[in-house]
Amino acid sequence: EDKVVQSPLSLVVHEGDTVTLNCSYEVTNFRSLLWYKQEKKAPTFLFMLTSSGIEKKSGRLSSILDKKELFSILNITATQTGDSAVYLCAPRAYSGAGSYQLTFGKGTKLSVIP
Amino acid sequence: EPEVTQTPSHQVTQMGQEVILRCVPISNHLYFYWYRQILGQKVEFLVSFYNNEISEKSEIFDDQFSVERPDGSNFTLKIRSTKLEDSAMYFCASSSLGGDGNTIYFGEGSWLTVV
């Protein structure tokens, strides 16, 4: 059975801190890994990682994938209160007949306090 | 920025009633999905849909569930006879292509409460 483990489950930091969110996965027919930010409702796309060791950056956020060790990290520098959300890791696997499927972790709930 | 839209945002229904959740995927997207998230739990895959047919479904997606693309823009999820355990947030999603390398965009969700 496919497994996605995110850690920590919950994190409280002060504004300006740097955080690292972890995601380890065991997924059959792995193809890529997506990170989403979920504030109140819809998961909002952050990154898609397909290659090992290549860091993707978007402002204060960055992410990297290690396909050998089967994990990914999401870094947020100089955190702001607006970064407070649940961060979801979702490996994508090929499930046959041209179909791909996301498997979500439970998420890391980040709370940034002023 | 184009977005996936869903209606209703919240629906309360009695057990045993039929429910239809509606979605308008991003206009040039060809692959459509339904996911659900029971309160406090993970987001779970239900079904993917391409070329007017189901391409993949999970074990959650039993005979009580069906999907349809009734016209060129809408994508619906029907639950035939709702159960208490169907209470969840249902997310519609779409992608331009189904292959790897294509981002899946999610709607705001429809919160279903079965009483």
Side-chain angles (χ1 to χ4, degrees):
Chain A
E1 186 181 316
D2 293 344
K3 195 162 69 171
V4 182
V5 178
Q6 291 189 244
S7 63
L9 288 180
S10 172
L11 189 55
V12 180
V13 300
H14 286 95
E15 266 192 318
D17 287 350
T18 292
V19 297
T20 298
L21 311 182
N22 304 291
C23 174
S24 66
Y25 62 89
E26 291 176 32
V27 169
T28 305
N29 295 324
F30 174 86
R31 292 292 187 271
S32 61
L33 187 142
L34 285 73
W35 281 96
Y36 287 87
K37 177 183 181 183
Q38 186 177 28
E39 291 179 84
K40 289 181 182 170
K41 288 187 177 178
T44 306
F45 172 76
L46 293 175
F47 295 109
M48 179 167 59
L49 305 159
T50 52
S51 302
S52 254
I54 298 175
E55 186 183 51
K56 290 221 171 173
K57 288 196 73 152
S58 176
R60 296 177 293 103
L61 277 65
S62 64
S63 185
I64 198 161
L65 174 68
D66 185 328
K67 291 206 279 191
K68 186 178 172 191
E69 299 298 327
L70 307 183
F71 77 87
S72 175
I73 60 172
L74 174 69
N75 280 316
I76 309 175
T77 59
T79 51
Q80 302 170 356
T81 53
D83 296 327
S84 296
V86 175
Y87 290 83
L88 302 172
C89 164
R92 175 154 56 188
Y94 181 65
S95 46
S99 183
Y100 292 78
Q101 195 180 121
L102 294 177
T103 301
F104 282 86
K106 288 186 175 180
T108 293
K109 183 178 179 182
L110 174 65
S111 301
V112 182
I113 53 179
Chain B
E1 185 179 313
E3 56 182 25
V4 177
T5 57
Q6 291 185 240
T7 54
S9 56
H10 187 195
Q11 181 162 354
V12 180
T13 189
Q14 289 205 319
M15 197 167 53
Q17 295 296 302
E18 176 183 283
V19 159
I20 297 177
L21 306 179
R22 292 183 166 78
C23 170
V24 179
I26 294 172
S27 63
N28 63 344
H29 283 188
L30 300 175
Y31 286 78
F32 315 115
Y33 313 85
W34 284 100
Y35 285 77
R36 80 168 186 193
Q37 186 175 30
I38 294 171
L39 188 64
Q41 296 188 25
K42 294 190 289 188
V43 177
E44 301 172 291
F45 170 76
L46 291 179
V47 65
S48 59
F49 190 88
Y50 170 70
N51 200 27
N52 283 320
E53 60 183 24
I54 290 172
S55 49
E56 180 79 21
K57 61 182 181 179
S58 71
E59 57 199 27
I60 302 168
F61 194 88
D62 62 21
D63 291 343
Q64 293 299 314
F65 290 89
S66 62
V67 289
E68 197 177 33
R69 188 151 161 83
D71 54 44
S73 58
N74 290 287
F75 178 52
T76 62
L77 174 70
K78 182 194 289 188
I79 309 174
R80 198 180 355 260
S81 176
T82 49
K83 304 187 284 280
L84 294 176
E85 54 265 37
D86 294 328
S87 295
M89 178 73 89
Y90 288 82
F91 292 108
C92 175
S94 69
S95 62
S96 55
L97 296 171
D100 195 36
N102 291 284
T103 301
I104 297 177
Y105 294 93
F106 285 79
E108 290 275 306
S110 291
W111 182 248
L112 176 65
T113 303
V114 182
V115 297

